[in-house]
Amino acid sequence: MDSRVRFEIVPSILSADFACLGEQVRAVFEAGIRRIQIDVMDGQFVPNITMGPLIIEAIRPIANEYDGYFETHLMIVQPERYLADFAKAGSDMLIVHVETCPHLHRTLQQIRELGKSPAVALNPSTPLTAIEEVLGDVDMVLVMTVNPGFGGQAFITSQLDKVRRLRAMLDERGLQATPIEVDGGVHVPTIAAAVAAGATLLVSGSGVYNKKASVAENVRRLMEAGQAGG
Ligand code: DX5
């Protein structure tokens, strides 16, 4: 029986070197990663502008070589306008923010109708009650552990209690199979606490893509550090 803790590192390409993005994406798949996060920002919901469907379309063929999985994190206002575009470009999961969706239940339905996996994200100041009524309609809940917009920020430890409460909320509803993802400030010193709190999907951008070590070495270090959270 493998006693190792089950969790997955999900690299965010926001911190990748975009001058050689294809190689950077291949590097994480070569390191054994199967799931990556694409951070879409519109400069309105968050104070940064990043990438759109074109990027997903460009790197999708690489992911296909490895049976890779793209979760697209939509940090944009009115995400319902672009669901079909991001689905067509090659997203497997579409993550919308509860803060941008006044008709969240309908938006999640629209993602499912596109044949994609719906997920919802919460900013640090947003209470769990904001998503209580849709827990049965999502395939994942993302708890932000930074205020969205940029990579390289510090992990907000107050969100660990939110992760624990969310795990209890999901389990009370028979949703043990619904994973919790955390995103932001996940590094070697912080990953074990996130795993211990109940996160099984750990997004890391600057923890995977940095000048300190190779992608493979950074992934290995994060996996090793995360095991302590079991
Ligand atoms: C922040 C993004 C995160 C970010 C994580 O708004 O949603 O995915 O890329 O970056 P790190 O891991 O560097 O905090």
Side-chain angles (χ1 to χ4, degrees):
M1 166 73 170
D2 177 359
S3 61
R4 292 170 68 79
V5 183
R6 300 225 176 284
F7 64 89
E8 222 178 308
I9 304 295
V10 183
S12 153
I13 62 169
L14 184 64
S15 296
D17 176 354
F18 271 66
C20 52
L21 183 60
E23 291 159 43
Q24 295 268 276
V25 168
R26 189 177 297 280
V28 290
F29 287 129
E30 285 293 320
I33 294 292
R34 281 297 166 269
R35 184 184 185 118
I36 66 171
Q37 184 179 98
I38 293 110
D39 283 315
V40 177
M41 302 180 192
D42 63 0
Q44 293 186 66
F45 178 56
V46 295
N48 192 2
I49 296 176
T50 57
M51 57 199 99
L54 211 55
I55 293 285
I56 294 171
E57 217 168 303
I59 60 176
R60 181 75 246 181
I62 300 170
N64 290 344
E65 290 175 40
Y66 298 88
D67 193 22
Y69 188 93
F70 282 173
E71 54 171 64
T72 300
H73 182 185
L74 296 172
M75 289 165 275
I76 63 175
V77 298
Q78 298 174 308
E80 63 280 2
R81 293 172 300 160
Y82 295 104
L83 299 175
D85 294 339
F86 281 104
K88 183 162 172 277
S91 306
D92 296 290
M93 170 178 273
L94 294 173
I95 308 169
V96 293
H97 270 260
V98 60
E99 300 90 355
T100 64
C101 298
H103 304 290
L104 178 58
H105 181 272
R106 178 77 193 105
T107 303
L108 295 169
Q109 271 182 328
Q110 286 169 333
I111 295 170
R112 196 86 69 196
E113 285 160 7
L114 285 165
K116 303 301 176 183
S117 194
V120 65
L122 292 157
N123 281 342
S125 60
T126 304
L128 292 175
T129 48
I131 59 165
E132 210 167 354
E133 303 306 328
V134 296
L135 290 177
D137 302 297
V138 295
D139 293 343
M140 180 185 84
V141 179
L142 166 52
V143 174
M144 291 302 294
T145 40
V146 293
N147 287 296
F150 299 93
Q153 300 181 82
F155 188 90
I156 302 174
T157 51
S158 66
Q159 299 305 296
L160 291 172
D161 180 56
K162 185 192 275 186
V163 172
R164 279 188 284 272
R165 284 184 283 115
L166 173 59
R167 186 69 269 161
M169 204 182 245
L170 288 163
D171 293 351
E172 274 158 27
R173 289 161 174 76
L175 299 169
Q176 286 80 354
T178 303
I180 298 173
E181 181 170 78
V182 298
D183 179 2
V186 174
H187 290 268
V188 165
T190 55
I191 188 169
V195 171
T200 53
L201 294 169
L202 291 307
V203 175
S204 185
S206 56
V208 171
Y209 293 111
N210 59 53
K211 302 229 180 308
K212 285 182 282 191
S214 70
V215 162
E217 177 58 15
N218 283 326
V219 167
R220 189 194 65 74
R221 289 176 184 172
L222 283 166
M223 286 302 293
E224 191 176 82
Q227 285 302 328

